[in-house]
């Protein structure tokens, strides 16, 4: 069970999103005092799951962090807090940069104000005289207009009296069924400790996995992540993560139903492994789970059914063309006719095989998922279910991020997918919280 009162420093959760980073600290035994999130839907999700459902009167605040000062926190904290958060990554990430360039010269990444919101994060942390600071971001933040943002943040924290480093962590090393790499700045006041331990991996990759080799030149504060020990269990796979969740759409001809996120359905089995036991630990009643909404992509259900795990859009387009030609033959429709063009629009996705390569991908059962992103709010082609002909559900996406099944999304399906894609996986956050916990005992 989660502890609501803690002997450790209180935590303030900035740029909280739906609360993944905060939940990890809560699971590690810290107390979440409050937080800030500008998106009202994500703020409500965080408030419900980190405060209200536990009977706490506190909440996360729906505010613009750049327009408030630290007095907004004073009624929620009693002493020097730990400040955590993940300033927006869109200005740094490759997908975000491409999107901004498409909007015109005035929206190029270096002119995006979100690229400088780490300064507001630092402002609040230093004005609160935080005992510790944890900041998360994408790997591309190490090269933002030739600036290394984690290195700059570490420099400022070091000058302000903190023992500090930044590192790059792979979520799968910490029990998350997803190979998601993120940068973390971790700092504790020098008066508390002059040495900091790195988060300790709990899982290891299979020998076939090849890690990306990243080189960070002239990085005074960078520390390489610890290598997983050989005795650890293997990374959690997609099948191990979701095999006990309800079956919703066994064939492409199954009736589609748009399930509300608060609708409950029974698990199809008892927990089959440690990860599933962890995800189901606090669910009440024990046999029911929420979050079963998936997208109504009727054109694509037959294509999904023919794809094999690991297939991308190239294979999907070939399958669609085979199905289309077969239907043309059945209906005796000739090429280069209006009926031919009309049927093709109905059956074949209109995307370029050259540009759309990685936009579709069917999950592999025997490996962790690839990175979940906020674009899930638009579609789920990037994460097609491995044995049912559909995109993943909200609950399945939450599992792949290691959100437990008692984490409730009181919002629309699109909002839930966006919140999950933007989140820090709670199991990774818990490992980071555990790495600094000894300095506060």
């Amino acid at each position: 069970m989660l502890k609501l009162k803690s002997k450790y420093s209180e935590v303030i959760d900035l740029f909280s999103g739906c609360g993944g980073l905060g939940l990890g600290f809560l699971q590690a035994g810290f107390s979440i005092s409050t937080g800030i999130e500008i998106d009202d839907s994500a703020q409500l999700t965080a408030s419900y799951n980190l405060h209200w459902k536990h009977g706490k009167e506190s909440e996360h605040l729906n505010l613009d962090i750049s327009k408030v000062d630290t007095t907004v926190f004073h009624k929620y904290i009693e002493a020097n807090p730990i400040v955590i958060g993940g300033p927006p990554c869109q200005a740094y990430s490759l997908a975000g940069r491409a999107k901004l360039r498409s909007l015109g010269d005035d929206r190029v990444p270096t002119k995006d104000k979100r690229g400088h919101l780490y300064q507001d994060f630092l402002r609040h942390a230093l004005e609160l005289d935080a005992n510790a600071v944890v900041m998360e971001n994408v790997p591309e933040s190490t090269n933002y207009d030739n600036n290394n943002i984690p290195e700059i943040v570490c420099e400022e924290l070091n000058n302000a009296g903190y023992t500090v480093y930044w590192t790059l962590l792979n979520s799968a090393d910490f029990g998350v069924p997803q190979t998601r790499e993120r940068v973390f700045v971790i700092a504790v006041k020098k008066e508390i400790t002059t040495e900091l331990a790195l988060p300790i991996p709990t899982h290891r990759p299979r020998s076939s996995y090849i890690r990306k080799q990243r080189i960070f030149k002239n990085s005074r504060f960078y520390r390489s992540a610890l290598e997983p020990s050989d005795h650890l269990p293997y990374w959690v796979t997609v099948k191990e993560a979701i095999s006990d969740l309800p079956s919703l759409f066994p064939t492409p001809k199954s009736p589609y139903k748009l399930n509300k996120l608060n609708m409950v359905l029974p698990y199809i089995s008892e927990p089959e492994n440690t990860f599933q036991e962890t995800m189901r630990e606090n669910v009440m009643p024990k046999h029911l789970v929420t979050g079963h909404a998936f997208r109504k992509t009727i054109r694509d259900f037959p294509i999904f059914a023919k794809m094999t795990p690991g297939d991308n859009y190239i294979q999907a387009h070939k399958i669609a063309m085979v199905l289309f030609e077969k239907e043309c033959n059945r209906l005796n429709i000739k090429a280069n006719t209006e009926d031919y063009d009309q049927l093709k629009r109905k059956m074949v996705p209109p995307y370029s095989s050259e540009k759309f390569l990685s936009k579709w991908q069917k999950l592999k059962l025997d490996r962790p998922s690839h990175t979940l992103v906020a674009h899930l709010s638009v579609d789920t082609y990037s994460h097609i279910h491995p044995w049912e002909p559909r995109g993943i559900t909200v609950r399945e996406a939450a599992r792949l991020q290691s959100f437990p099944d008692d984490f409730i999304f009181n919002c629309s399906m699109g909002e839930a997918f966006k919140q999950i894609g933007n989140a820090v996986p709670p199991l990774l956050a818990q490992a980071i919280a555990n790495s600094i916990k000894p300095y506060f005992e």
Side-chain angles (χ1 to χ4, degrees), residues 58-258:
S58 55
E59 63 181 352
H60 274 43
L61 309 174
N62 183 209
L63 298 170
D64 182 343
I65 194 172
S66 66
K67 297 179 180 179
V68 297
D69 59 36
T70 55
T71 58
V72 299
F73 303 118
H74 289 172
K75 72 176 184 178
Y76 295 99
I77 57 174
E78 298 177 359
N80 303 61
I82 291 173
V83 173
I84 64 175
C89 66
Q90 290 90 338
Y92 310 135
S93 69
L94 296 179
R97 293 184 194 187
K99 175 67 174 177
L100 288 167
R101 289 192 190 96
S102 72
L103 298 176
D105 291 341
D106 61 327
R107 295 292 303 278
V108 295
T110 52
K111 293 181 181 179
D112 185 356
K113 294 179 181 179
R114 293 173 297 184
H116 303 282
L117 284 172
Y118 74 90
Q119 296 171 345
D120 287 291
F121 176 86
L122 272 176
R123 170 174 62 87
H124 283 282
L126 295 177
E127 289 181 5
L128 287 166
D129 194 23
N131 280 331
V133 178
V134 174
M135 190 187 87
E136 175 264 356
N137 221 294
V138 293
E140 291 83 5
S141 64
T142 59
N143 185 17
Y144 176 63
D145 192 27
N146 294 319
N147 290 315
N148 185 326
I149 303 303
E151 189 76 9
I152 292 171
V153 171
C154 285
E155 187 74 51
E156 292 196 35
L157 288 170
N158 176 67
N159 293 340
Y162 289 83
T163 304
V164 62
Y165 69 89
W166 67 271
T167 190
L168 184 71
L169 302 176
N170 188 328
S171 300
D173 287 340
F174 301 91
V176 181
Q178 180 188 170
T179 53
R180 183 189 193 91
E181 287 190 323
R182 288 296 183 264
V183 163
F184 289 88
V185 172
I186 300 174
V188 175
K189 278 185 175 180
K190 291 178 181 177
E191 64 193 61
I192 296 173
T193 182
T194 56
E195 293 186 9
L196 286 177
L198 285 154
I200 300 173
T202 58
H203 291 70
R204 64 184 168 113
R206 297 184 186 277
S207 56
S208 60
Y209 181 80
I210 300 175
R211 290 183 186 270
K212 291 180 182 178
Q213 296 299 316
R214 297 182 182 268
I215 300 174
F216 302 104
K217 297 180 179 179
N218 304 317
S219 296
R220 175 186 169 195
F221 295 99
Y222 172 70
R223 292 176 64 186
S224 297
L226 296 177
E227 287 291 329
S229 301
D230 290 340
H231 70 278
L232 293 174
Y234 287 122
W235 283 351
V236 180
T237 67
V238 168
K239 182 178 181 181
E240 291 169 335
I242 67 173
S243 64
D244 63 324
L245 293 176
S247 176
L248 304 173
F249 198 72
T251 77
K253 294 184 178 180
S254 299
Y256 175 84
K257 182 181 179 182
L258 178 57

Side-chain angles (χ1 to χ4, degrees), residues 289-305:
V289 62
T290 64
H292 308 300
F294 64 96
R295 297 198 178 281
K296 187 180 182 180
T297 52
I298 293 177
R299 178 199 65 200
D300 305 313
F301 292 149
I303 303 172
F304 294 162

Side-chain angles (χ1 to χ4, degrees), residues 212-412:
K212 291 180 182 178
Q213 296 299 316
R214 297 182 182 268
I215 300 174
F216 302 104
K217 297 180 179 179
N218 304 317
S219 296
R220 175 186 169 195
F221 295 99
Y222 172 70
R223 292 176 64 186
S224 297
L226 296 177
E227 287 291 329
S229 301
D230 290 340
H231 70 278
L232 293 174
Y234 287 122
W235 283 351
V236 180
T237 67
V238 168
K239 182 178 181 181
E240 291 169 335
I242 67 173
S243 64
D244 63 324
L245 293 176
S247 176
L248 304 173
F249 198 72
T251 77
K253 294 184 178 180
S254 299
Y256 175 84
K257 182 181 179 182
L258 178 57
N259 296 325
K260 294 184 177 181
L261 292 184
N262 61 359
M263 188 186 82
V264 293
L265 288 175
Y267 295 102
I268 62 172
S269 71
E270 292 296 315
E272 298 175 337
N273 52 62
T274 302
F275 179 82
Q276 292 178 9
E277 289 174 353
T278 301
M279 293 299 98
R280 293 166 61 164
E281 184 177 7
N282 296 312
V283 173
M284 292 298 291
K286 289 289 185 183
H287 66 293
L288 297 176
V289 62
T290 64
H292 308 300
F294 64 96
R295 297 198 178 281
K296 187 180 182 180
T297 52
I298 293 177
R299 178 199 65 200
D300 305 313
F301 292 149
I303 303 172
F304 294 162
K306 297 286 186 181
M307 294 173 71
T308 59
D311 277 359
N312 59 26
Y313 184 68
I314 290 179
Q315 291 83 24
H317 190 268
K318 289 178 180 178
I319 291 168
M321 287 301 297
V322 169
L323 293 172
F324 165 63
E325 295 292 350
K326 185 176 180 180
E327 188 67 2
C328 284
N329 290 334
R330 189 182 73 84
L331 298 174
N332 197 27
I333 294 176
K334 303 301 181 183
N336 302 318
T337 64
E338 184 177 338
D339 288 343
Y340 181 92
D341 293 338
Q342 184 177 354
L343 183 62
K344 187 174 183 180
R345 285 193 295 270
K346 182 180 178 181
M347 295 187 67
V348 180
Y351 316 118
S352 166
S353 296
E354 295 178 1
K355 297 179 181 179
F356 221 70
L357 174 64
S358 61
K359 302 292 186 180
W360 287 41
Q361 191 164 346
K362 194 164 188 175
L363 291 165
K364 296 180 180 180
L365 288 79
D366 59 349
R367 297 185 183 182
S369 169
H370 50 288
T371 301
L372 274 73
V373 294
H375 189 78
L376 288 170
S377 65
V378 179
D379 63 63
T380 48
Y381 292 126
S382 62
H383 290 75
I384 301 167
H385 195 278
W387 61 83
E388 292 192 6
R390 57 174 174 80
I392 58 173
T393 65
V394 167
R395 180 55 58 198
E396 288 157 354
R399 278 277 186 99
L400 297 178
Q401 279 280 54
S402 75
F403 279 98
D405 292 354
D406 68 324
F407 195 94
I408 303 300
F409 296 92
N410 296 314
C411 56
S412 70

